[in-house]
Amino acid sequence: MADPNCDLNSPLLHERAPEVSLDVNGFIDRGSEAATTAPENAFEFLGVPPLALPLMSPVDPFRNHTPTIAGLYEWCKTILCLPIAAVRLVLFGIVIAVGYLATVAALCGWKDKQRPLPRWRCRVMWITRLCARCILFSFGYHWIRRKGKPASREIAPIVVCNHVSYTEPIFFFYELFPTMVASESHDALPFVGTIIRAMQVIYVDRFSPQSRRLAIHEIKRKASSNDFPRVMLFPEGTTTNGRFLISFRLGAFIPSLPIQPVVVRYPYIHFDQSWGNANLLKLMFRMFTQFHNFMEVEYLPVVFPDESKQQNTVHFAERTSYSMANALNVLQTSHSFGDMILLTRASELAKERCSNYMVEMAWVENSFNISSSEAVVILDRFLSMNPDSFGRVELHGFLNAYGLGRSPLSEKIFGYLDLEKKWSITFRQFLTGSAQVRKQPSFWRACEAAFALCSSDDMMDHASLEQIGRVIQSTVHGAVNSETLRQLFGTDTDVYVSKDAFIECLQKNPLLIALFAACVNDP
């Protein structure tokens, strides 16, 4: 029987208040209903504003889309190409050996490595360069399509390129023989280390500020002199899947010299040649077992620094990246090499859906002044909270990692991070919330005040674990796990904690400063 309260003009679905809404700026809004029940800010005493995050990009710029051999066609092709792969492997070994011997001959007796490689030695290196092209041939790159031409060294002393696979450095070694910027670890590689020394590579330790400063000085010195080869950099700092362009490091743009962008594409149907997060040996095997691999190189117009006004280095990098993204017809993201480090760390610990631990590190670094190495330390803390398969941590896991019981204060700390009010948090929320607390100027004064409360007049430079536990218990009104407390402060056996260790613990775990809020507020 029909419902008498319904007619043809009645809506099929009743309206309900939205639980989550988005404002025009793209920031997460807790909604009017959630705002009335949300816990107060546990870090308001430091002047920390409520946490607000832009929407996270759903893409994974490092994911290889064909990580395994799939489908009947691919299996048949792989089996059919095994004899071809054996021949290619022999060719690969021969040209590596020939190139290595030619490089040793070219470098024999060369001691003044601060000056350009003499011309006769460069001519000998042509043997190695031809060997590099043979290496690409053995990988199935029988022909390589080129579009445009490289500008002369006098016009564009610096070349930048997107980084998709390990084949780009091999190609440009053959094509341009440039001076590249590479990690210091590459120097220790067998055969390869000797060859790249002939290129007068600029080594850099990306985790050392001093090493980065020296590298920038060397880039400017060598790019400014026509006696050296042109300088080539991969400003993304790591390999991607080629479907996106991640944020650029600024080393190539600080010298303010003309730059020629180059883009590389790898068209495919069945086999994604991008390195990204793929295993290197598996990638090489699959290259060997293809009939042919496609590679396209396009030289773009030179981008000149704006001399009419004092140009910002960031703006120079943005103009260049826009030119490359437009040529590739891809989107730019705020991911960086730091995201690859986080991805690798999560993979090492066998976590599911490792892409859930990416945070668009370039944006995080700019917004919160936190380095990739510091983000890894915070990731380790988050992973100790036993996140689920979707990379989310619930309240009990959060409290167990800090040895705390459930209390109004501990819930307020967790609630500060829980933007979606699901009683679970993501690593991005945990990282940015921790970084936002730590970047406040009042945070360091609060650390000093907290230590002063826990120390005694007899030992001004040390605080007892017992006193620290009592202070925390007085704020959370519950028991504190003493063993976890010892681990947090790095004193598995000691009774006392030094001031440096105390401050370092709060620096690595800035959310814990809320446990000392009472002592900071009291005069």
Side-chain angles (χ1 to χ4, degrees), residues 342-352 354 376 379-381 383-384:
L342 297 173
L343 192 70
T344 303
R345 180 60 177 164
S347 178
E348 289 173 353
L349 298 177
K351 295 298 179 182
E352 300 180 65
C354 295
V376 171
L379 175 62
D380 287 340
R381 171 59 57 194
L383 295 178
S384 71

Side-chain angles (χ1 to χ4, degrees), residues 119 150-159 222-231 257-260 302 304:
R119 288 186 178 275
S152 66
R153 197 243 182 266
E154 291 74 17
I155 295 176
I158 298 178
V159 178
K222 293 184 176 181
S224 300
S225 172
N226 287 329
D227 294 332
F228 284 97
R230 70 193 84 204
V231 178
L257 296 171
I259 290 177
Q260 181 171 32
V302 176
F304 293 90

Side-chain angles (χ1 to χ4, degrees), residues 483-503:
E483 185 62 30
T484 304
L485 201 62
R486 291 178 185 275
Q487 294 175 3
L488 282 173
F489 287 97
T491 56
D492 294 336
T493 57
D494 296 340
V495 178
Y496 294 95
V497 179
S498 68
K499 182 177 182 179
D500 290 341
F502 185 92
I503 300 295

Side-chain angles (χ1 to χ4, degrees), residues 343-476:
L343 192 70
T344 303
R345 180 60 177 164
S347 178
E348 289 173 353
L349 298 177
K351 295 298 179 182
E352 300 180 65
R353 298 182 178 91
C354 295
S355 60
N356 288 326
Y357 301 100
M358 294 191 300
V359 295
E360 293 186 292
M361 198 62 207
W363 173 80
V364 172
E365 288 178 349
N366 292 332
S367 301
F368 301 101
N369 193 28
I370 185 170
S371 66
S372 299
S373 56
E374 291 172 323
V376 171
V377 173
I378 296 177
L379 175 62
D380 287 340
R381 171 59 57 194
F382 184 81
L383 295 178
S384 71
M385 299 174 184
N386 193 27
D388 61 21
S389 59
F390 295 97
R392 302 187 73 94
V393 165
E394 296 182 352
L395 177 62
H396 66 86
F398 177 84
L399 298 179
N400 289 341
Y402 289 121
L404 302 174
R406 187 161 183 170
S407 68
L409 177 58
S410 60
E411 288 185 2
K412 283 200 295 183
I413 297 173
F414 188 81
Y416 177 76
L417 307 173
D418 183 16
L419 298 181
E420 299 157 340
K421 302 309 165 194
K422 294 181 177 180
W423 288 105
S424 65
I425 59 174
T426 64
F427 172 64
R428 188 167 183 253
Q429 293 166 347
F430 181 71
L431 173 65
T432 53
S434 300
Q436 180 156 284
V437 171
R438 200 184 71 174
K439 81 170 189 175
Q440 302 301 317
S442 55
F443 172 76
W444 302 106
R445 294 194 298 271
C447 292
E448 295 282 347
F451 180 79
L453 181 70
C454 298
S455 62
S456 62
D457 295 335
D458 298 335
M459 301 183 67
M460 299 295 294
D461 294 332
H462 288 77
S464 69
L465 281 172
E466 183 181 358
Q467 176 63 11
I468 294 173
R470 281 199 298 264
V471 171
I472 295 177
Q473 285 179 0
S474 67
T475 56
V476 299

Side-chain angles (χ1 to χ4, degrees), residues 41 88 243:
N41 185 352
R88 288 174 172 174
R243 299 188 176 202

Side-chain angles (χ1 to χ4, degrees), residues 67-103:
T68 58
I69 301 173
L72 179 62
Y73 171 78
E74 274 298 293
W75 275 108
C76 292
K77 181 175 65 175
T78 300
I79 295 172
L80 186 63
C81 288
L82 284 177
I84 300 175
V87 174
R88 288 174 172 174
L89 185 60
V90 172
L91 174 63
F92 175 77
I94 292 173
V95 295
I96 279 283
V98 172
Y100 174 74
L101 293 175
T103 304

